[in-house]
């Protein structure tokens, strides 16, 4: 168990011109579960592999528990890792696979046996200890990979998209199981995923990455609720956050969307007569078939019943947005409905830089 | 509540069995082809074995009996007893195994490097490897004979081992490179993260997974060395390998001797392949991944 300090880490792959990680700095507290989230090619896996020692950075440093490990070989780092492809050893029985790290560390046999039994019990692998990985299902193989990682008493537990090769239902079940196991272990964990729901549900903290840099770091709910820029808002959430072109009126008191005027929050006072992007989540738009004050009219384009809600695609002042309506809401394509944006859930972004606006 | 279907079934068109018959015919043809090819391989081996294990007189019988009626080890015994054969047999074994060991020792690391590392001129290097095989063995052997004469290696099994290693290396390297490519790199990285040194990860994880493919490569090397005759005849006089020995005495020896020689040449390769077959079939099976 240890804290991790990553500072100014730069890595360019040989033959590439773009930086895979571009001056990334990140502090991870002891025992924290940090998720690196981002689209493919954003550098999250590169960052994890540099933590593991499987890639070496061009510059910058990594310290674990106050000790520099930047250029240390993987076997000297006391880390353990769960790989996306499981990476279990196919020529050896499950028992050997789970105990592999311990036997490499030359631990006494009784201790290995005890820990293997403990991990097998925890991950329901007891009946399969004497099988070869080829005789297991994909889900069971992934459990072997997790068991192999957690028996290690490592300083840091690294996970590289461990759930992405499982089918949807299995993934959902194993996700909550994994969260409980890691919580009980209290090991500092770094988890890489491109799945935003995984990131939100597992992490103590989420670092959203884009083009080799960390776009936003924070509590999962903060990242969801108040994205730092348009990219984060568009990447997190299903459906992604709506972005509507709008302008602040000359006196700063109203927000103009097309022909409609909305009451502007006080934040916008200092941005009078500028173009802004209004960001709002689909579930934060109230819908009604009747007009009431402050409402914006919209034309329904698509109606998608999702079971627990109805997802509407609505055209508002020439812009298309997604709106989540309660399952009892009845409408059909072509109908006009009335939308209410709740002032507290509106976020504002600079129309050019796409960064969140702050009061000034 | 019995709402089972009461509607009369629509008239079904006649079942067309022609595609099914075609399928059956194709399968039968495939089986026939397999049998023909097997016979093509097996009949000569059978005939040679038969002739080698028959008495010298029965070889001259007409018509020749195709069943082993006159089994005897007389011919084979005479062949093995004749001068130089047992020695040549031993030489062949030494050369075969020596070639296998040295080419594995050099070729497996080279194959690993080709599979795992990017280095300048990798593609030209792979092509260049095959150039050794592009040269006729005679062209290689004559200068080698001169060279070996000056360094006092001429007429030794070492000389033949070196030549055969040079001949076998390209295939050993390329086959083992493709074998190592099929071992996922993640597994090796996992071994590293869980405490292995690079050498440890190679020996504990990569090698066991690559073994079937490497065994196949070694079969290839051994059989190549066992069958190679031209270079071995040029590079040796008194320490000939079996094919070289048989070749030199073939022209002026009785028919029975030739059959016995052929038999002695074929059998060890077959035994070796049978022994390594387990690894071969594993490779196409489920061992890797």
């Amino acid at each position: 168990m240890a804290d991790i300090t990553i500072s100014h880490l730069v890595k360019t792959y040989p033959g590439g011109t773009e930086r895979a990680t571009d001056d990334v700095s990140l502090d991870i507290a002891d025992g924290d579960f940090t998720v690196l989230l981002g689209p493919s090619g954003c550098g999250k896996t590169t960052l994890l592999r540099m933590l593991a020692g499987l890639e070496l950075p061009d510059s910058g440093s990594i310290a674990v528990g106050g000790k520099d490990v930047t250029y240390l070989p993987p076997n000297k780092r006391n880390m353990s890792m769960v790989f996306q492809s499981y990476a279990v050893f196919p020529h050896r029985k499950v028992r050997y696979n789970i105990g592999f790290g311990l036997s490499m560390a030359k631990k006494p046999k009784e201790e290995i046996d005890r820990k293997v039994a403990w991990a097998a019990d925890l991950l329901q692998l007891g009946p399969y200890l004497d099988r070869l990985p080829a005789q297991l299902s994909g889900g069971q193989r992934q459990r072997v990979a997790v068991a192999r990682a957690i028996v290690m008493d490592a300083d840091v537990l690294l996970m590289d998209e461990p759930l992405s090769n499982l089918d949807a239902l299995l993934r959902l079940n194993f996700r909550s199981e994994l969260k409980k196991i890691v919580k009980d272990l209290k090991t500092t964990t770094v988890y890489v995923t491109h799945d935003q729901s995984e990131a939100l549900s597992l992490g103590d903290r989420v670092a959203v990455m884009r083009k080799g840099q960390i776009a936003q770091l924070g509590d999962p709910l903060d990242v969801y609720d108040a994205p730092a820029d348009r990219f984060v808002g568009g990447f997190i959430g299903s459906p992604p956050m709506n972005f509507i072109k709008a302008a602040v009126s000359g006196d700063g008191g109203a927000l103009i969307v097309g022909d409609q005027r909305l009451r502007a929050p006080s934040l916008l006072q200092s941005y009078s007569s500028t173009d802004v992007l209004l960001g709002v989540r689909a579930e934060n738009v109230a819908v009604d078939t009747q007009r009431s004050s402050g409402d914006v009219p919209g034309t329904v384009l698509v109606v998608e019943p999702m079971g627990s809600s109805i997802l509407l695609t609505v055209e508002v002042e020439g812009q298309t947005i997604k709106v989540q309506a309660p399952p009892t809401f009845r409408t059909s394509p072509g109908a006009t409905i009335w939308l209410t944006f709740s002032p507290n859930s509106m976020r504002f972004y600079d129309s050019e830089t796409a960064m969140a606006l702050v009061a000034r | 509540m019995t709402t089972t279907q009461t509607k009369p079934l629509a008239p079904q068109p006649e079942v067309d069995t022609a595609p099914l018959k075609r399928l059956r015919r194709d399968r039968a043809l495939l089986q026939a082809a397999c049998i023909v090819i097997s016979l093509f391989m097996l009949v000569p081996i059978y005939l040679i074995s038969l002739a080698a294990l028959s008495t010298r007189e029965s070889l001259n019988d007409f018509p020749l009996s195709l069943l082993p009626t006159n089994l005897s080890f007389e011919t084979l015994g005479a062949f093995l007893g004749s001068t130089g054969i047992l020695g040549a047999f031993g030489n062949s074994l030494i050369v075969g195994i020596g070639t296998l060991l040295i080419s594995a020792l050099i070729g497996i690391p080279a194959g690993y490097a080709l599979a795992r590392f990017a280095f300048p001129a990798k593609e030209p290097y792979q092509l260049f490897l095959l150039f050794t095989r592009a040269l006729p063995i005679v062209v290689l052997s004559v200068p080698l004979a001169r060279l070996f004469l000056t360094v006092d290696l001429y007429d030794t099994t070492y000389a033949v081992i070196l030549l055969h290693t040079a001949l076998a290396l390209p295939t050993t390297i390329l086959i083992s490179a493709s074998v190592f490519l099929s071992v996922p790199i993640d597994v090796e990285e996992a071994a590293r993260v869980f405490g292995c040194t690079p050498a440890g990860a190679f020996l504990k994880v990569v090698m066991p997974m690559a073994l079937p493919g490497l065994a196949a490569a070694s079969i290839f090397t051994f059989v190549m060395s066992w069958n190679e005759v031209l270079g071995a005849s040029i590079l040796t006089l008194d320490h000939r390998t079996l094919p070289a020995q048989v070749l030199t005495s073939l022209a002026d020896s009785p028919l029975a001797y030739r059959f016995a020689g052929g038999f002695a040449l074929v059998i060890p390769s077959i035994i070796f392949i049978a022994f390594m077959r387990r690894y071969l079939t594993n490779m196409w099976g489920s061992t890797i991944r």
Side-chain angles (χ1 to χ4, degrees):
Chain A
M1 268 163 250
D3 58 327
I4 305 172
T5 312
I6 298 170
S7 76
H8 304 291
L9 216 51
V10 176
K11 166 83 184 173
T12 310
Y13 281 106
T17 47
E18 269 183 42
R19 287 174 164 189
T21 62
D22 189 1
D23 201 22
V24 171
S25 296
L26 179 64
D27 284 330
I28 297 169
D30 184 11
D32 242 14
F33 193 127
T34 302
V35 177
L36 303 177
L37 171 69
S40 58
C42 71
K44 56 191 192 303
T45 298
T46 304
L47 188 57
L48 191 82
R49 288 173 61 83
M50 285 194 284
L51 272 172
L54 297 171
E55 303 284 351
L56 298 178
D58 300 338
S59 65
S61 71
I62 305 169
V64 174
K67 225 178 71 208
D68 177 71
V69 301
T70 315
Y71 296 110
L72 224 52
N75 50 325
K76 299 258 165 72
R77 296 195 178 201
N78 194 24
M79 295 189 181
S80 65
M81 184 159 172
V82 181
F83 289 80
Q84 179 176 10
S85 61
Y86 320 138
V88 293
F89 307 127
H91 60 296
R92 291 302 201 121
K93 301 246 168 77
V94 170
R95 184 187 303 279
Y96 177 90
N97 262 291
I98 299 178
F100 184 81
L102 296 171
S103 59
M104 287 305 107
K106 307 232 169 6
K107 290 273 165 28
K109 195 173 176 310
E110 310 83 70
E111 189 189 336
I112 298 178
D113 286 347
R114 187 170 47 77
K115 288 213 157 162
V116 169
W118 165 78
D121 187 48
L122 195 65
L123 287 150
Q124 295 139 41
L125 286 169
Y128 309 109
L129 280 178
D130 289 310
R131 290 204 195 172
L132 286 171
Q135 297 164 305
L136 302 180
S137 69
Q140 287 165 335
R141 258 178 260 179
Q142 188 57 295
R143 284 165 184 274
V144 174
V146 172
R148 177 176 67 180
I150 63 171
V151 293
M152 285 289 287
D153 283 331
D155 288 337
V156 178
L157 180 56
L158 305 171
M159 299 199 189
D160 186 6
E161 311 212 17
L163 305 180
S164 63
N165 280 353
L166 303 180
D167 64 62
L169 190 63
L170 208 56
R171 193 182 310 168
L172 209 60
N173 289 336
F174 197 37
R175 189 168 83 190
S176 47
E177 213 175 311
L178 198 62
K179 182 164 188 174
K180 185 176 182 312
I181 290 171
V182 173
K183 185 142 254 148
D184 293 346
L185 276 177
K186 300 189 182 68
T187 307
T188 313
T189 305
V190 182
Y191 185 108
V192 161
T193 183
H194 64 265
D195 181 331
Q196 41 101 8
S197 63
E198 234 169 69
L200 296 178
S201 68
L202 285 171
D204 295 327
R205 287 203 311 168
V206 176
V208 186
M209 290 189 68
R210 179 202 191 190
K211 288 187 183 162
Q213 290 180 318
I214 293 177
Q216 189 175 7
L217 172 68
D219 187 64
L221 289 180
D222 282 348
V223 174
Y224 180 82
D225 203 43
D229 61 19
R230 184 178 179 161
F231 164 77
V232 176
F235 188 73
I236 293 188
S238 170
M241 189 176 239
N242 294 305
F243 291 98
I244 304 166
K245 287 196 200 89
V248 183
S249 66
D251 58 3
L255 190 67
I256 302 159
V257 181
D259 295 335
Q260 307 294 322
R261 289 176 74 92
L262 298 172
R263 202 154 55 80
S266 55
L267 167 75
L268 293 180
Q269 289 290 341
S270 50
Y271 289 94
S272 55
S273 0
T274 44
D275 287 340
V276 295
L277 273 176
L278 162 63
V280 62
R281 293 266 176 213
E283 66 269 26
N284 291 331
V285 181
V287 289
D288 206 333
T289 47
Q290 306 294 316
R291 171 161 211 175
S292 56
S293 67
D295 282 1
V296 179
T299 312
V300 178
L301 297 177
V302 184
V303 182
E304 297 170 78
M306 311 294 284
S308 59
S309 63
I310 295 176
L311 189 62
L312 304 175
T313 307
V314 184
E315 190 183 300
V316 178
E317 298 294 336
Q319 305 180 49
T320 311
I321 67 170
K322 299 271 187 191
V323 175
Q324 194 176 316
T328 50
F329 189 75
R330 288 288 169 265
T331 185
S332 55
T336 299
I337 57 171
W338 299 89
L339 311 175
T340 318
F341 300 100
S342 88
N344 292 332
S345 60
M346 287 196 279
R347 303 286 174 259
F348 299 97
Y349 298 88
D350 189 298
S351 61
E352 301 209 333
T353 63
M355 300 298 287
L357 297 181
V358 287
R360 60 182 181 191
Chain B
M1 295 298 281
T2 50
T3 50
T4 46
Q5 193 176 7
T6 50
K7 219 165 47 172
L9 284 170
Q12 284 292 106
E14 192 91 3
V15 176
D16 181 12
T17 54
L20 186 65
K21 279 185 191 141
R22 255 203 308 280
L23 198 69
R24 288 202 178 126
R25 191 200 61 205
D26 288 354
R27 273 193 201 145
L29 284 177
L30 187 69
Q31 288 298 325
C34 288
I35 291 168
V36 168
I37 292 171
S38 303
L39 285 179
F40 181 74
M41 309 300 284
L42 288 175
V43 165
I45 293 178
Y46 175 72
L47 288 179
I48 265 196
S49 313
L50 189 69
L53 293 174
S54 302
T55 53
R56 204 173 280 229
E57 295 76 42
S58 63
L59 276 183
N60 299 324
D61 287 352
F62 190 85
L64 198 61
S65 161
L66 286 180
L67 292 172
T69 43
N70 287 315
L71 269 187
S72 111
F73 289 94
E74 186 200 324
T75 326
L76 206 58
F79 169 74
L80 291 177
S82 56
T83 3
I85 289 301
L86 272 186
F89 197 87
N91 286 340
S92 261
L93 269 184
I94 293 174
V95 169
I97 292 172
T99 305
L100 196 158
L101 289 180
I102 299 184
S103 63
L105 212 63
I106 304 172
I108 290 176
Y112 183 77
L114 268 185
R116 283 289 191 262
F117 304 120
F119 49 86
K122 184 170 165 176
E123 300 289 316
Y125 172 69
Q126 271 174 295
L127 196 65
F128 179 71
L129 275 179
L130 290 170
F131 280 3
T132 341
R133 295 311 310 254
L135 293 172
I137 295 174
V138 184
V139 175
L140 279 174
S141 304
V142 175
L144 274 180
R146 272 200 61 104
L147 181 69
F148 288 150
L149 275 170
T150 48
V151 296
D152 224 11
L153 269 179
Y154 187 76
D155 197 19
T156 58
T157 45
Y158 302 116
V160 187
I161 289 178
L162 286 178
L163 172 71
H164 286 181
T165 303
L167 292 178
L169 264 181
T171 40
T172 310
I173 293 174
L174 294 180
I175 294 179
S176 52
S178 67
V179 169
F180 285 126
L181 271 181
S182 71
V183 175
I185 198 157
D186 298 24
V187 176
E188 198 176 341
E189 289 176 347
R192 295 279 284 125
V193 170
F194 289 104
C196 281
T197 58
F202 181 77
L203 291 176
K204 285 209 166 59
V205 174
V206 180
M207 267 303 268
M209 288 175 71
L211 212 52
L214 298 181
S218 74
I219 292 179
F220 202 75
T221 306
F222 184 84
V223 172
M224 187 236 65
S225 161
W226 187 269
N227 289 336
E228 200 283 321
V229 55
L230 204 50
S233 338
I234 294 174
L235 290 181
T236 50
L237 278 177
D238 298 330
H239 295 88
R240 294 242 142 121
T241 58
L242 193 56
Q245 183 72 28
V246 171
L247 188 73
T248 42
S249 49
L250 205 58
D252 38 38
S253 43
L255 193 61
Y257 181 91
R258 300 183 196 177
F259 283 123
F263 184 69
L265 278 176
V266 167
I267 290 309
S269 300
I270 291 184
I271 293 175
F272 191 77
I273 289 174
F275 180 68
M276 288 296 202
R277 197 183 57 118
R278 193 164 66 87
Y279 295 103
L280 258 188
T281 47
N282 264 357
M283 183 165 72
W284 317 127
S286 60
T287 310
I288 287 176
R289 268 168 241 272

